[in-house]
Amino acid sequence: MYATNITADELHKIAWILVDRHGSDAFDMTAIAIAEMREVGDQRRINAWEALQSVIADALGGHLQKTKQITLH
């Protein structure tokens, strides 16, 4: 059973939780999760982790504000 799709707001919140707690290590943590999902061939979760990794990269790079709502294009 799979949950519904994750929203842009949820990705934003999760990304900032990880960045606040782990700093730049948050990006590496997502890379590990992606590698683990590739080993088991779980493409749906790979996509979710890659999306999260992208949002974390934007947060770390100063392209995403913590308090501003985001829109995905």
Side-chain angles (χ1 to χ4, degrees):
M1 175 187 260
Y2 285 102
T4 59
N5 292 333
I6 192 165
T7 68
D9 187 50
E10 290 167 333
L11 280 173
H12 182 255
K13 288 177 184 176
I14 294 166
W16 276 106
I17 289 169
L18 290 172
V19 168
D20 286 344
R21 290 186 183 168
H22 304 286
S24 62
D25 288 340
F27 187 87
D28 297 331
M29 293 168 66
T30 58
I32 292 167
I34 292 166
E36 290 174 357
M37 293 301 112
R38 284 195 176 122
E39 286 182 18
V40 296
D42 192 338
Q43 190 60 49
R44 185 177 172 136
R45 289 187 180 156
I46 291 168
N47 294 343
W49 280 100
E50 286 176 339
L52 180 59
Q53 187 180 51
S54 178
V55 177
I56 287 172
D58 285 346
L60 291 170
H63 305 290
L64 182 65
Q65 295 177 358
K66 187 175 182 178
T67 58
K68 187 175 181 182
Q69 188 174 11
I70 63 168
T71 303
L72 299 179
H73 300 275

